[in-house]
Amino acid sequence: MKKKLRYGLLPAALALTLTACSGAGEAETTAAPTEVQETAAEESQETEAEAGGAGSEAGSNILIAYFSMPEDIELEGIDANSGASVVVRDGEALGNVQYIAQIIQENTGADVFRIETVQQYPLDHDPLVDQAAAEQDEEARPELASHLENADQYDIIFLGYPNWWGDMPMPLYTFLEETDLSGKTIIPFCPHGGSGFSRTEETIAELQPEAQVSEDGFTISRNDVADCEEEVVNWVNGLGL
């Protein structure tokens, strides 16, 4: 029988997250911001602009690279605590990973690189669950819509992703296999549906053997993300960056 993603379903109109510990969790899955589907080229341009451009010469030496799932929800009447995978901030729906990334950015001045794929993931829950399961079964390496071309300027990489099926989403494998992060410190952060990091820190270290993977990463239940700002700030401050 096919496993289910680990994030629990959102009630009613929010039932788009991937299910918790039995499968790929936020497959444990993290939802991403509500957004109109765009072409790969447009997404690539936006991602580079968010990171300060692939050829930025005067940016931060800290980068936040993250993957967050798209989700199709109705915002009207939704508050910050309405769904396990959605945080509403200033009227905008953000995925858990994106929300944490924003808090980190606000407290570090880091550049931001959003990991996105050329092929769009389904916005509906069941097809999304099926695709995530199939990608893991096939050990797929989804093609990315944009690529980090200025990795050399960064010393510290915050790496954010949801816990899917006790592992990273497959686009994270693509990113880590095509990007040389040798000599850098990688600090993972991961919302989950009950399994924490699983062994994803070890997987990152295997894929980036010349990088140092911090043991002080941040993982939090998707149920607690909406109220996690102070906890994230304290965590970031405690890193001594």
Side-chain angles (χ1 to χ4, degrees):
M1 179 182 295
K2 180 170 289 186
K3 297 179 288 184
K4 291 293 182 183
L5 292 181
R6 279 197 296 254
Y7 248 0
L9 295 176
L10 295 180
L14 296 180
L16 288 171
T17 45
L18 301 176
T19 52
C21 301
S22 62
E26 169 192 65
E28 292 189 91
T29 286
T30 305
T34 301
E35 57 190 350
V36 177
Q37 293 292 303
E38 300 168 315
T39 66
E42 289 170 334
E43 289 173 345
S44 177
Q45 291 171 359
E46 287 190 357
T47 301
E48 289 186 0
E50 193 175 25
S56 175
E57 297 179 356
S60 172
N61 71 328
I62 303 175
L63 177 71
I64 304 164
Y66 75 92
F67 175 80
S68 195
M69 289 294 303
E71 201 179 336
D72 188 14
I73 65 169
E74 174 58 54
L75 286 183
E76 185 176 357
I78 301 302
D79 62 31
N81 296 306
S82 294
S85 72
V86 175
V87 176
V88 178
R89 191 184 201 194
D90 298 327
E92 180 184 7
L94 306 174
N96 286 344
V97 179
Q98 185 188 27
Y99 177 62
I100 296 171
Q102 283 194 3
I103 298 171
I104 297 170
Q105 197 283 327
E106 290 166 359
N107 288 273
T108 62
D111 292 342
V112 177
F113 180 83
R114 182 166 180 173
I115 300 168
E116 298 178 287
T117 56
V118 170
Q119 180 182 358
Q120 293 298 313
Y121 282 86
L123 296 180
D124 293 329
H125 174 71
D126 288 342
L128 182 58
V129 169
D130 291 342
Q131 181 168 330
E135 286 184 352
Q136 291 204 355
D137 290 344
E138 297 166 4
E139 297 186 359
R141 296 295 186 268
E143 182 182 357
L144 301 186
S146 59
H147 309 277
L148 182 64
E149 298 176 2
N150 58 337
D152 288 347
Q153 82 175 51
Y154 301 108
D155 299 317
I156 297 169
I157 311 290
F158 284 91
L159 186 65
Y161 51 90
N163 183 327
W164 282 9
W165 301 80
D167 202 349
M168 299 181 296
M170 302 316 290
L172 266 292
Y173 281 82
T174 306
F175 175 77
L176 290 169
E177 289 175 354
E178 73 173 29
T179 309
D180 183 6
L181 301 180
S182 297
K184 305 181 188 308
T185 297
I186 300 173
I187 307 175
F189 62 98
C190 173
H192 64 87
S195 297
F197 276 122
S198 298
R199 64 175 302 275
T200 54
E201 311 107 297
E202 289 85 350
T203 301
I204 294 167
E206 291 167 3
L207 294 171
Q208 293 287 337
E210 301 302 320
Q212 178 180 350
V213 180
S214 174
E215 296 180 355
D216 296 320
F218 181 81
T219 185
I220 186 170
S221 169
R222 88 276 190 191
N223 295 317
D224 298 328
V225 171
D227 299 314
C228 77
E229 182 170 2
E230 182 177 357
E231 186 173 355
V232 174
V233 171
N234 290 337
W235 165 64
V236 170
N237 290 339
L239 294 173
L241 302 179

